[in-house]
Amino acid sequence: MRRQIIVLFCSLFLFALGPAVAAEQGATPNVTPNRGALFKVQQNGHTLYLFGTIHVGARDFYPLEPRLAGFLKKAPVLALEIDPLADQQKLARAVQQYGMSVKGSSGLTPEWRSRLAKLLKQYNIAPEAVASMKPWLLASVLTVSEFAAQGYDAALAVDAHLSQQAHEAGQKVVELESADSQMSLFDKMTAAEQLVFLQEAIAGIEDKEQADQAREIAEAWRHADVKALDALALKAEQDDTFSGRFVQKELLDGRNPTLADGMVKLMARENNSVVAIGVLHLVGKGSVPELLRKRGLSVERMY
């Protein structure tokens, strides 16, 4: 089962919890490996390169492979889900609107509150710092904390790395979505559903499932492992937990058509742009590449 962990790989809202800091370049290895997934999309004489990211990182993720780096250098536009280096106040306002409540997670039973308290202590999170967070946001904070415990840091996210490179080079960075549109999806859950969402996240951490999956997903991305990424997509589609169904329906299937629409519009205006979105949007049924093919675009998987 996928549980809450997939949230981190199909939404960038967590950058709003703290300023994103792009990764420093690591020592250049003799052979820089492929990372994630890369597609070449063409229509009407225009080309777009579609790269699959993850929204956390590690220093040894960088530098990215030379071919992608070359595409990025020549790109007139870098398109992201949202730009983690954009207006931080705007992101913070979205968190306040959709992720905070005076009730917080007060609906948890004493047993679940005790289990939550243990995790907060484990991650050195002060209870008062998360007391006003809605259950979905608190669940996401726990997920980020577990990734950090496994060595994967949101401050070193691939999206932030790409954004910083583009901004420093004076390239245009556009957003295919907004913080409001992403976070409003989570706020569609009822109060009871949000509690289930949080409980599944807690249980996933307690039984070490999230730790295992954190390494599994990061390694699949790290090695551009096509079979492993496809297997992750299949598991996501088959996940019958509440959070698994929510992630598949709302965060993947619900957003993929909008992301594909944005790419088609960008291609009509620009040539050789690079789009970088969460890698789970690029694999499985109803993926963005599949949607683009159905719209008549030529889509080639480069790795």
Side-chain angles (χ1 to χ4, degrees), residues 76 137 156 167 169-170 207 263 293 296 299:
L137 183 58
L156 298 176
H167 283 296
D207 65 14
M263 292 175 204
R293 289 189 184 100
V299 181

Side-chain angles (χ1 to χ4, degrees), residues 1-15 17 54-57 116 119-120 122-123 125 130 133-155 186 189 194 196-215 217-218 243-244 246-247 251 280:
M1 294 184 293
R2 294 293 90 192
R3 294 184 187 266
Q4 166 72 11
I5 200 170
I6 289 185
V7 172
L8 192 58
F9 292 90
C10 44
S11 181
L12 278 171
F13 67 85
L14 290 167
F15 285 112
L17 302 179
I54 56 176
H55 306 318
V56 293
L116 172 61
L119 291 183
L120 294 178
Q122 175 181 323
Y123 298 133
I125 299 173
V130 298
M133 289 184 179
K134 291 182 179 180
W136 73 261
L137 183 58
L138 178 52
S140 302
V141 169
L142 294 176
T143 299
V144 170
S145 300
E146 179 59 28
F147 266 80
Q150 299 303 318
Y152 300 105
D153 190 348
F186 292 89
M189 287 186 280
Q194 289 194 34
V196 173
F197 196 74
L198 174 57
Q199 289 164 359
E200 291 185 350
I202 292 171
I205 293 173
E206 290 174 336
D207 65 14
K208 308 301 182 183
E209 182 181 28
Q210 285 201 9
D212 292 341
Q213 292 173 355
R215 291 188 292 270
I217 295 174
S243 53
F246 175 82
V247 165
L251 302 187
L280 289 183

Side-chain angles (χ1 to χ4, degrees), residues 51-68:
F51 180 58
T53 69
I54 56 176
H55 306 318
V56 293
R59 293 196 181 278
D60 65 356
F61 281 6
Y62 308 102
L64 298 174
E65 59 96 2
R67 182 168 40 172
L68 174 62

Side-chain angles (χ1 to χ4, degrees), residues 6-12 15 35-39 50-56 79-82 157-160 162 176-177 182 217 221 229 233 251-252 255-256 259 263 275-284 286-289 301:
I6 289 185
V7 172
L8 192 58
F9 292 90
C10 44
S11 181
L12 278 171
F15 285 112
R35 309 286 195 196
L38 181 65
F39 293 79
L50 175 57
F51 180 58
T53 69
I54 56 176
H55 306 318
V56 293
L80 303 168
E81 294 171 33
I82 64 172
V158 178
D159 313 83
L162 297 176
L176 299 175
E177 298 178 301
Q182 288 192 353
I217 295 174
W221 184 89
L229 289 170
L251 302 187
L252 293 174
R255 291 168 58 211
N256 284 348
L259 292 169
M263 292 175 204
V275 175
I277 61 175
V279 71
L280 289 183
H281 292 289
L282 308 188
V283 292
S287 68
V288 169
R301 186 163 189 167

